[in-house]
Amino acid sequence: MRRLSRSTTCALVASVLAVPGAVPAAAQDAGAAYEAQVDAIFAQWATPSSPGCAVGVYRNGAIALARGYGMADLERRVAITPQSVFDIGSTSKQFTAASILLLEQQGVLSLDDDVRRFIPELPSYDEPITIRHLLLHTSGLRDYIGLMELSGVDIDDVTTPQEALDIIVRQKELNFTPGAEHLYSNSGYFLLSLVVERASGLNLRDFARQQIFDPLGMTRTHYLGGYDDVVPDRALAYAERADGSLRTDVSRWLQLGDGAVFTTVEELLHWDENFYSGRVGGKAMLERIQETGTLNDGSALEYALGLFITEHRGQRTVAHGGAWGGYRAELLRFPDQHFSVAVLCNLGSTNPSALALRVADVYLAAVLAPIERDVATPPAGGSDERPVSDATPIADIEELAGVWRNAAARAAFTIVADTGKLYLIAGGGRYELQPQSATAFKVMDVPVELVLRFPPVPADQPRRMEWFLDANDAQVFEKLTIHVPSAAELAGYAGSFHSEELNATFTIRLEDSVLSLLRPGAGPQPLTPLTRDEFSVGSLTLRFMRDAGAIAGFQLDQGRARNIRFERVAR
């Protein structure tokens, strides 16, 4: 398609406004070309045998495109349409943040209030947690979703808000001092739903309906009431099994605030347009909800109040994605262009954030900066930096195999070499690494753009791996020197260990010289040795503690939950 210049685009808009009801042929041609490109982006899901996505493109306060691709209900053969209702997961957080700001406008609370003013059940930690900390994900609170799963709650169980509150208030420690770090935590936004309820006298579902959704004409948009609610035109959600078949994946967790808004791509237009009109909250609230936070040391965040404020190809963006069960969502705004894209999907392997950017690239081609170099194709400058070809010598894959750890994120992953190929072992899955250059590999069959680079380093330094997720800045991993425990050491780790914070007992079992972890709701999982007294299993890291030389317990890290303490149960 021929790209339209900025002046040409403006002329088309002006001509449409000058003659009501008339659409110039050039604009019609451009619109048809845009639509054809969007159709191509979503073509793989546009079949009667696949779940898919609804897409909404908003321009200058109107819908420029609204389409559905794939099926909302495979059993009943119902297709996705712009009226299909989706759970938008964490994209809901901006509505929770807006509810808090409306209460602030009404003089009911302040963002700098200690959250224990409204939730006195929370422990009194060394430093107070404020409402602002909850909004910015700087509270240090461990994520309740991970805590509940560790305690034995299955993702398919019915869980209540009280259960989530109970496990949060049992936590004796924080991940970090409030305000010291930014670590995404659903606990904060769930607690904000309780703040809204206790400050206003209305639960978040009713408050948002009265204060946000009804005033904006979003009559079908709502927070979840009950897992058994009848939601007309709801798209069911699906996930792929290991063999490629599909299963339904609709959560029955009943917490609000961190997610649980149901809506359509048609109705999200009204919320998106409110960022220009200020119909709800006014200009002051809309400015505050987009103010990015800072840490205690003055470091600036990209996170505002339920929104990420970043850039794409030189243009400012305001966005938030969501993922819950098999639902995936993204609402992406380019405020300087008065342009937005909503992508709501019902298949867990989709990546609406990347898809929304691709749609934006189609419509905003005339104003976006040139596409940056793909991190998978390093710049020219050395024989190991050339794009891969049959003649390119790939790095020694055996040397790249091993355990890699990011100390800051407390994350460790294993890479294995098998029959001349590399595989990433993560989250219980095995993903092929496809060479993109002599030192760069793309992780295959994941719903994100994940690229691993292994830059050359001096011989006296540990190997480094650069982990690029969706082309964001690299996270750096170092290859560990593994401590191989002796038979006597292995025997010392075996036993049962209890966590008061989780109210759960984990067992370490030694069988055939292999240590395995048994925990509630999960079968035996082999432990991978890291450094001395340290093991990993899936997304978990266990660091054993000793007393007079004997194993007394361990501390467990799970990404968004750190240092969970387990004490050895008496033999």
Side-chain angles (χ1 to χ4, degrees), residues 116 137 317 416 466 525 531:
R116 295 184 74 247
H137 298 293
T317 61
V416 299
E466 297 173 343
Q525 298 171 288
T531 58

Side-chain angles (χ1 to χ4, degrees), residues 482-503:
I482 302 302
H483 172 77
V484 180
S486 66
E489 286 178 305
L490 289 174
Y493 297 117
S496 294
F497 301 82
H498 184 75
S499 168
E500 290 186 12
E501 293 174 306
L502 297 179
N503 191 27

Side-chain angles (χ1 to χ4, degrees), residues 422-552:
L422 288 174
Y423 297 87
L424 174 69
I425 309 299
R430 175 182 164 110
Y431 306 96
E432 182 181 345
L433 302 185
Q434 183 180 86
Q436 305 293 293
S437 76
T439 59
F441 298 79
K442 181 176 181 179
V443 182
M444 305 303 294
D445 300 320
V446 294
V448 292
E449 291 296 322
L450 179 56
V451 174
L452 311 183
R453 284 194 61 205
F454 301 87
V457 295
D460 60 346
Q461 295 183 14
R463 282 303 301 255
R464 296 170 64 248
M465 174 178 73
E466 297 173 343
W467 172 291
F468 295 89
L469 178 62
D470 286 336
N472 289 319
D473 292 340
Q475 297 184 47
V476 177
F477 287 69
E478 288 192 354
K479 189 176 181 181
L480 294 180
T481 299
I482 302 302
H483 172 77
V484 180
S486 66
E489 286 178 305
L490 289 174
Y493 297 117
S496 294
F497 301 82
H498 184 75
S499 168
E500 290 186 12
E501 293 174 306
L502 297 179
N503 191 27
T505 299
F506 287 14
T507 298
I508 307 295
R509 184 176 69 187
L510 178 61
E511 189 172 61
D512 296 330
S513 300
V514 175
L515 283 178
S516 294
L517 173 67
L518 290 87
R519 59 188 179 92
Q525 298 171 288
L527 293 174
T528 300
L530 301 178
T531 58
R532 186 173 187 269
D533 289 340
E534 186 178 19
F535 296 81
S536 70
V537 52
S539 61
L540 308 180
T541 301
L542 286 69
R543 291 173 283 110
F544 284 88
M545 305 174 293
R546 293 179 179 269
D547 183 8
I551 299 296

Side-chain angles (χ1 to χ4, degrees), residues 85-355:
V85 177
F86 294 78
D87 181 341
I88 61 172
S90 288
T91 308
S92 310
K93 286 183 168 68
Q94 56 200 287
F95 297 107
T96 304
S99 298
I100 291 290
L101 290 175
L102 289 172
L103 287 172
E104 182 189 47
Q105 282 187 344
Q106 296 162 15
V108 177
L109 55 77
S110 165
L111 299 195
D112 295 315
D113 283 341
D114 186 331
V115 70
R116 295 184 74 247
R117 174 187 170 193
F118 299 98
I119 310 176
E121 303 98 311
L122 281 176
S124 179
Y125 298 109
D126 291 341
E127 297 290 336
I129 298 172
T130 66
I131 291 174
R132 190 186 306 275
H133 287 139
L134 302 184
L135 288 163
L136 292 172
H137 298 293
T138 58
S139 68
L141 287 165
R142 295 165 175 162
D143 193 302
Y144 81 90
I145 296 175
L147 295 173
M148 292 181 73
E149 290 178 336
L150 287 171
S151 72
V153 176
D154 190 272
I155 198 68
D156 293 324
D157 290 342
V158 176
T159 70
T160 66
Q162 187 61 49
E163 289 175 285
L165 180 60
D166 288 345
I167 203 165
I168 291 172
V169 302
R170 281 207 304 270
Q171 305 308 300
K172 299 177 181 179
E173 297 181 21
L174 299 173
N175 286 328
F176 49 80
T177 300
E181 297 183 36
H182 175 268
L183 182 63
Y184 198 91
S185 175
N186 288 291
S187 294
Y189 273 77
F190 162 67
L191 292 177
L192 288 171
S193 74
L194 302 185
V195 171
V196 171
E197 182 171 352
R198 296 179 182 185
S200 70
L202 295 172
N203 63 38
L204 180 59
R205 173 184 168 96
D206 292 337
F207 183 90
R209 176 176 55 79
Q210 294 181 19
Q211 301 277 334
I212 300 174
F213 301 142
D214 284 354
L216 293 178
M218 301 172 71
T219 58
R220 306 179 69 200
T221 302
H222 61 278
Y223 277 93
L224 177 69
Y227 72 87
D228 53 357
D229 283 358
V230 174
V231 180
D233 299 320
R234 173 168 23 186
L236 297 179
Y238 300 87
E240 294 180 357
R241 295 189 178 98
D243 64 1
S245 63
L246 295 172
R247 63 178 180 85
T248 56
D249 191 6
V250 179
S251 173
R252 298 189 292 176
W253 288 32
L254 300 178
Q255 295 76 26
L256 304 181
D258 55 317
V261 166
F262 285 71
T263 190
T264 72
V265 294
E266 286 189 341
E267 291 211 338
L268 280 174
L269 167 69
H270 304 307
W271 171 246
D272 183 76
E273 186 59 19
N274 190 63
F275 280 80
Y276 305 97
S277 70
R279 183 174 179 180
V280 168
K283 182 179 179 180
M285 187 201 81
L286 297 171
E287 289 179 349
R288 284 178 65 74
I289 201 171
Q290 297 177 85
E291 290 176 358
T292 54
T294 57
L295 299 179
N296 295 341
D297 64 3
S299 301
L301 302 177
E302 291 183 336
Y303 202 83
L305 308 187
L307 294 166
F308 285 95
I309 313 298
T310 57
E311 287 190 354
H312 175 64
R313 295 176 61 184
Q315 299 297 332
R316 182 172 180 263
T317 61
V318 180
H320 208 296
W324 189 236
Y327 292 106
R328 299 292 183 267
E330 177 73 24
L331 178 57
L332 167 68
R333 182 178 311 109
F334 289 78
D336 295 338
Q337 284 71 43
H338 202 148
F339 175 89
S340 298
V341 181
V343 179
L344 309 183
C345 303
N346 65 336
L347 180 61
S349 59
T350 55
N351 183 359
S353 301
L355 292 168

Side-chain angles (χ1 to χ4, degrees), residues 381-445:
S383 62
D384 64 340
E385 300 294 344
R386 295 193 302 269
V388 70
S389 71
D390 291 341
T392 302
I394 301 298
D396 183 353
I397 65 171
E398 296 294 339
E399 182 185 349
L400 302 184
V403 178
W404 299 80
R405 178 166 62 183
N406 179 293
R410 304 198 184 192
F413 299 98
T414 300
I415 293 177
V416 299
D418 186 6
T419 61
K421 293 183 178 181
L422 288 174
Y423 297 87
L424 174 69
I425 309 299
R430 175 182 164 110
Y431 306 96
E432 182 181 345
L433 302 185
Q434 183 180 86
Q436 305 293 293
S437 76
T439 59
F441 298 79
K442 181 176 181 179
V443 182
M444 305 303 294
D445 300 320

